[in-house]
Amino acid sequence: MNLLLILIGATGVAMYLIFTILIHEFLKKKNDKTPGYLFVNLFIFRYVGKYKKMTKNATRRTGPLFYMFIISISITLLAALLLFVINFIIM
């Protein structure tokens, strides 16, 4: 069970990194003032909000990367929480 939760958490982290890079590239194409990738990662929620606003203004719909980003964070947090509960509270 622990190995499965660790694998799910690692998958969530990998998805987080992939979607962060894709959001960074989208913002970089649309705006020349977007800083480097490491700086974007420090303030990722600000840039995800900017991505959401830009796609909503352009197409009247929120872009798919926003939802995938939220799902990846949710998967990672849920796996970490379950791992904590199973190992430290139940056992």
Side-chain angles (χ1 to χ4, degrees):
M1 185 62 136
N2 287 341
L3 184 61
L4 180 64
L5 287 174
I6 291 171
L7 185 62
I8 291 171
T11 303
V13 169
M15 287 173 47
Y16 165 81
L17 292 173
I18 290 168
F19 293 121
T20 300
I21 291 169
L22 291 174
I23 288 172
H24 175 262
E25 290 301 316
F26 176 84
L27 291 175
K28 197 167 187 171
K29 284 181 187 176
K30 300 289 183 183
N31 185 5
D32 291 332
K33 295 179 183 178
T34 303
Y37 174 69
L38 293 176
F39 188 73
V40 167
N41 219 3
L42 291 175
F43 301 106
I44 189 62
F45 293 107
R46 178 186 305 166
Y47 292 107
V48 168
K50 188 185 281 189
Y51 167 79
K52 180 181 177 184
K53 188 185 299 183
M54 287 176 75
T55 56
K56 192 135 180 134
N57 287 339
T59 63
R60 296 187 183 133
R61 302 178 100 188
T62 303
L65 294 177
F66 174 77
Y67 296 114
M68 295 309 223
F69 180 81
I70 298 299
I71 289 170
S72 69
I73 289 178
S74 300
I75 288 171
T76 304
L77 289 176
L78 183 63
L81 181 67
L82 285 173
L83 195 61
F84 176 77
V85 167
I86 289 172
N87 287 320
F88 294 110
I89 296 178
I90 295 176
M91 300 212 174

